[in-house]
Amino acid sequence: QVQLVESGGGLVQVGGSLSLSCAVSGSIFSINYMGWYRQAPGKQREFVAGVPSGGRPSYADSVKGRFTISRDNVKNIGYLQMNSLKPEDTAVYYCNGRIRVIGNSGIYDYWGQGTQVTVSS
């Protein structure tokens, strides 16, 4: 019923920038929260950034000042602008949405398939 599709990953040099997008589609009543997580090889998935509907964004300490999360509530698209990239930012980045679907009062977590970001030194 709900799909999250990330795009925008790729290979970039240290200090470069990338912009990720997350398009949400389906029988959406509301998107209460959108977030980005990442998982590097051999590590657990970790929080990167998130923004609640009508609220302030929050960031992991490791990306504060470098990454910016935003969302287009009309188009149901989330964005993650990543600047001053470092090798330690290399990971698969996942979009997360806490979504209420039409006809259901519950709010559930949905995930995208992930997009690879590689920062070369």
Side-chain angles (χ1 to χ4, degrees):
Q1 279 187 318
V2 174
Q3 276 193 315
L4 280 69
V5 179
E6 300 101 336
S7 60
L11 174 65
V12 65
Q13 291 188 331
V14 169
S17 299
L18 278 176
S19 181
L20 305 183
S21 298
C22 174
V24 185
S25 62
S27 302
I28 302 163
F29 181 84
S30 62
I31 302 175
N32 292 37
Y33 178 90
M34 290 192 76
W36 291 91
Y37 291 73
R38 66 187 181 187
Q39 187 166 18
K43 294 188 177 181
Q44 290 189 330
R45 190 174 297 189
E46 65 176 4
F47 170 77
V48 175
V51 58
S53 178
R56 290 186 174 182
S58 59
Y59 299 92
D61 288 343
S62 58
V63 307
K64 277 181 184 175
R66 301 188 297 122
F67 290 11
T68 302
I69 188 172
S70 61
R71 54 188 287 181
D72 184 325
N73 293 321
V74 174
K75 296 181 179 179
N76 289 334
I77 299 176
Y79 302 96
L80 184 68
Q81 177 64 40
M82 306 184 293
N83 299 327
S84 302
L85 283 161
K86 305 175 181 180
E88 51 264 43
D89 294 319
T90 295
V92 177
Y93 283 70
Y94 296 91
C95 177
N96 165 252
R98 293 177 194 163
I99 297 169
R100 180 180 170 188
V101 300
I102 296 171
N104 190 321
S105 61
I107 298 171
Y108 302 98
D109 266 329
Y110 295 86
W111 293 88
Q113 80 289 351
T115 185
Q116 177 70 46
V117 171
T118 303
V119 184
S120 65
S121 56

